[in-house]
Amino acid sequence: MLEHIPAWLGRALANVRAGADKLAIAQTDLGGSFGALDLTSPAFAHGGRLPPRFTADGAGVSPPLTWGSAPEGTAMLALLVEDADAPAPQPLVHAIVWGIPADAARLAEGAIVADGNGVAARGDVGRNSYRGEGWLPPDPPTGHGEHRYAFQLFALDAGAGDPGASPGRTALLRAMAGHVLAAGLLIGTYARGEAGAVTIDQASRAAAST
């Protein structure tokens, strides 16, 4: 989709970005202060480049995610993935998963897929900014520069509201407001047509061969 934007237009829009301050995790409506969750991925480091496999330039599957124990009192977890550098007034939503069990510790690669308004063992997959369920693969405009994809995981107490089946961002934030016990943030970057940093897997293979 955005790959069809010509490079000259992407460069012209280089300074048009939603901004990290618009990310859900930065919104004061979620609560005054909450603890930290350790959110990581075996596929990329925090601040590192997303492997093309997880983008519109590859297979377009969702990346694997792992996290530490949720705090006492956690009733469920919710995941929201947003592009802080989308050329729009608000971040672009790439994935929502609501109602992840409190004792879960991971989402496998490719786990974020359309579930037909159903609640599976991993939770209810919500709607991305293109109104579809599931993972919206990163697809930044050519020439627009590096985009930051914010994987945000929230531990929620039992008072969290019901956002409805296949929730969108607005319903999700409304349901979470005032009920966040802890949150984790993992940033993956991607820029179309630009050389990326060495991935974790590449670094491991290189070290093993020395």
Side-chain angles (χ1 to χ4, degrees):
M1 298 186 181
L2 294 182
E3 73 271 19
H4 299 303
I5 293 178
W8 66 264
L9 182 54
R11 289 190 292 270
L13 295 172
N15 293 323
V16 179
R17 297 171 182 266
D21 61 314
K22 302 287 184 63
L23 293 173
I25 202 168
Q27 304 312 302
T28 57
D29 291 348
L30 293 185
S33 61
F34 38 79
L37 278 174
D38 183 24
L39 178 62
T40 62
S41 174
F44 62 95
H46 179 66
R49 188 176 190 254
L50 284 169
R53 172 172 175 75
F54 306 117
T55 75
D57 293 328
V61 297
S62 60
L65 300 171
T66 60
W67 54 87
S69 299
E72 184 177 352
T74 298
M76 70 180 76
L77 299 157
L79 176 72
L80 174 60
V81 185
E82 299 179 287
D83 178 4
D85 296 297
Q90 296 291 331
L92 197 70
V93 175
H94 285 263
I96 289 175
V97 186
W98 169 263
I100 301 169
D103 59 354
R106 64 189 291 269
L107 281 178
E109 178 178 312
I112 306 176
V113 295
D115 59 8
N117 298 331
V119 179
R122 64 180 180 275
D124 180 20
V125 176
R127 290 177 284 108
N128 55 52
S129 283
Y130 287 179
R131 309 294 295 175
E133 287 186 346
W135 173 249
L136 178 64
D139 185 23
T142 301
H144 197 250
E146 186 176 83
H147 281 220
R148 293 164 294 172
Y149 297 90
F151 294 75
Q152 303 157 88
L153 185 69
F154 300 93
L156 307 174
D157 64 29
D162 180 6
S166 300
R169 184 182 191 271
T170 299
L172 181 79
L173 296 188
R174 186 183 300 119
M176 295 196 305
H179 298 286
V180 178
L181 299 176
L185 176 65
L186 173 65
I187 300 291
T189 66
Y190 196 70
R192 174 163 279 116
E194 298 181 16
V198 174
T199 66
I200 292 176
D201 289 344
Q202 290 171 332
S204 297
R205 287 195 297 268
S209 65
T210 58

